[in-house]
Each structure stands twice: as C-alpha cells, then as structure tokens.
Amino acid sequence: MSAQRNLVILARGGYASRGMLYLIIGIFALMAAHDSTKPKDSHKSLEALLSQPFGYFLVGLVVAGLLAFSAWRVLQAVRDVDHHGTQFKGLVIRAGLFAGGLVNGALAFFALGLLVSGTRNSSHSGEQTKDWLAHLLSWEHSNLLLYLIALIPLGVGVAHIIKGWKASFEKYFEADDEVMRYVRPVSQFGLIARGVVFMEIALLLAVSGSAYQAMDPPGMKEALDALQNLPAGWLVLMVMALGLIAFSVYSFSEACWRKINMDVPGVAK
C-alpha cells in the first residue's frame, strides 16, 4: 500500500475517532441536562464509557483514532497539506492545527492510561496536573499568563463560529449537492455550538483569574456546568449537547467526504 493511501486512511480514521469522542460527550451531556452527576467532558466521558458493555474495546478504538488524528493534525501543520501558506493568517491556522494535534495526542495517552492502569492512576495523574498548575499560578503576575492563555480558546471559538456561519468548510468537501443539503446545516450548528463552548472556556479563564490556583483550569465540563446553572439551564445545556452531537456528525462527514490533499513533498503518490 502506498504512503499516500496510508495517509488518507490515517486522516479519515482520525476524523471518525473525533466524531466518536464528541458523540460520547454529547450523549452524556444530554443525559446531564436532567442529571448533573453525569460526565460532560472528554476525560470523564471516557472513564464512564469503560463501565459500559464493550467499553474497553470502544475506548481502544478511540485511542487508535485519536493518535491517528493527532498525527494528521501535525502533518497538516508542518507540511501545510491544506495550503494555508506562510503569511500571518496561514501561520496562525497552522499553529492552531499543531496545538490541536498535541492536545489530541495527550488525550489519547490519557485514554491509553485508562486501558492499561485503570481510572485510579489516571486520577493520580490529574492530581499531579493540579499541583503543577498551582505552582505555575503561584508566580507573581500569573493572572496575566491566564489572560494570554485565554486568548487560545477565544480564538478557536471565534474561528469555529465564523467557519460555521459562513460554511467555509464546504470547500474541503467532495460531496454532491444532495449530500451537502443535509450535511451543511448540521455541520454549521455543530461548529457554532463548539465555538460557543470554547468562547465560554476563554471567558471563565479570563474572569476567574487566580481562582484556579488550586484546581484544574476550566474546560468543557466547567463551561457546560456554567450553562446548566443559568435560568432554564437544562434547556440551554440540552441545546449545547445537541450541538456537540451535531459536531460529531460533522466529523463523521469529514471522515467520509473531506478532501485529503496529498501533494505533499516527500510523500509518494
């Protein structure tokens, strides 16, 4: 099998795995709209999935897919597969892709730790993260660092909302009009919903300041919890959960119909 074909399989498997992960998170978040004890983030959702029938098999698939997706994101950034270029805007996009690759890789190793050692060791790892974060935020003017970090999810959130609103993702799809007739609105809803969650994470980081010195930084769970605490929060959370499920549909659609550009130097066609 050619290197090009292997890369196509890598990319499509990665998109499918991201879809599976967000489907799991969305389902648990939907359940949490009426039961706040249900998990709402990727880490807790993976832990909860292990207790389900075939849970270890499903988490194993997620691990393999996330590793593939991480490798694909890094390739997109380093080799400029989608031709974003070397101008400022292109470099920012590629930096975001590279960061996404690192984050998905870290999540894959967390899930792998669940499979190998169980949730106890993973929880211990979480405590180490809290200790490291507390040390980092004990520095003078650490709040300024938080504000800078908050710009990352803010930028990701704004980019997702613009991408969803303009449906600019369509240029990367190889699907006929009949397919896009259904994929387009679901993908737009999913991208905008995910963008809202990321923007809320940025807001929580910026507003909270040093409040997170002794705990984990806010993530998807904290963002969805904050929505749930609003008036009619269960309804807002339900809409966001449906949006995350819609984002999973977008990811599955990318697995099926996304253009995988392979005119990359060093990769045999």
Side-chain angles (χ1 to χ4, degrees):
M1 187 177 291
S2 69
Q4 183 184 29
R5 181 62 178 166
N6 287 334
L7 287 174
V8 170
I9 294 173
L10 177 81
R12 298 202 185 283
Y15 285 121
S17 179
R18 185 180 68 174
M20 182 183 297
L21 181 62
Y22 270 88
L23 179 61
I24 294 167
I25 296 171
I27 289 173
F28 278 120
L30 196 59
M31 295 166 62
H34 292 287
D35 183 359
S36 60
T37 63
K38 297 295 182 182
K40 303 185 191 74
D41 64 341
S42 53
H43 291 70
K44 294 297 182 183
S45 294
L46 287 171
E47 290 177 359
L49 185 62
L50 283 178
S51 64
Q52 307 302 316
F54 305 105
Y56 278 82
F57 173 74
L58 292 174
V59 173
L61 287 179
V62 171
V63 169
L66 285 175
L67 288 173
F69 189 64
S70 176
W72 171 243
R73 279 294 195 232
V74 171
L75 181 66
Q76 282 181 296
V78 175
R79 307 304 288 271
D80 197 16
V81 172
D82 291 323
H83 311 299
H84 293 297
T86 56
Q87 299 299 318
F88 177 74
K89 180 180 178 181
L91 290 175
V92 169
I93 293 174
R94 291 168 65 182
L97 292 171
F98 187 79
L102 296 181
V103 169
N104 281 281
L107 183 57
F109 280 104
F110 169 83
L112 186 61
L114 292 180
L115 291 176
V116 174
S117 305
T119 59
R120 181 177 301 178
N121 288 349
S122 298
S123 298
H124 178 66
S125 175
E127 292 298 327
Q128 289 180 329
T129 301
K130 292 179 185 180
D131 293 342
W132 175 84
L133 182 69
H135 176 71
L136 177 66
L137 295 181
S138 66
W139 297 350
E140 189 178 3
H141 307 304
S142 60
N143 284 7
L144 295 177
L145 178 61
L146 273 178
Y147 298 146
L148 290 175
I149 294 174
L151 292 176
I152 298 173
L154 177 64
V156 172
V158 171
H160 272 65
I161 291 174
I162 293 174
K163 186 177 181 180
W165 182 261
K166 293 185 174 181
S168 58
F169 57 86
E170 286 188 280
K171 64 184 178 183
Y172 296 112
F173 274 67
E174 291 180 315
D176 57 37
D177 292 339
E178 188 62 26
V179 170
M180 293 307 298
R181 175 185 173 187
Y182 298 100
V183 169
R184 184 184 301 107
V186 176
S187 298
Q188 287 181 288
F189 176 42
L191 284 163
I192 291 173
R194 191 179 187 228
V196 169
V197 172
F198 271 101
M199 289 184 69
E200 192 186 356
I201 292 171
L203 180 63
L204 289 174
L205 270 171
V207 171
S208 299
S210 60
Y212 287 94
Q213 287 186 0
M215 57 189 296
D216 284 325
M220 187 171 293
K221 178 184 182 299
E222 286 72 25
L224 295 178
D225 280 341
L227 292 176
Q228 192 174 22
N229 292 329
L230 294 173
W234 66 271
L235 181 59
V236 178
L237 179 59
M238 186 175 293
V239 172
M240 282 296 103
L242 291 173
L244 295 178
I245 293 173
F247 184 80
S248 78
V249 174
Y250 166 70
S251 296
F252 288 131
S253 300
E254 284 193 296
C256 294
W257 296 294
R258 196 188 195 280
K259 296 176 184 176
I260 309 296
N261 300 319
M262 284 296 110
D263 51 337
V264 183
V267 176
K269 293 189 177 182

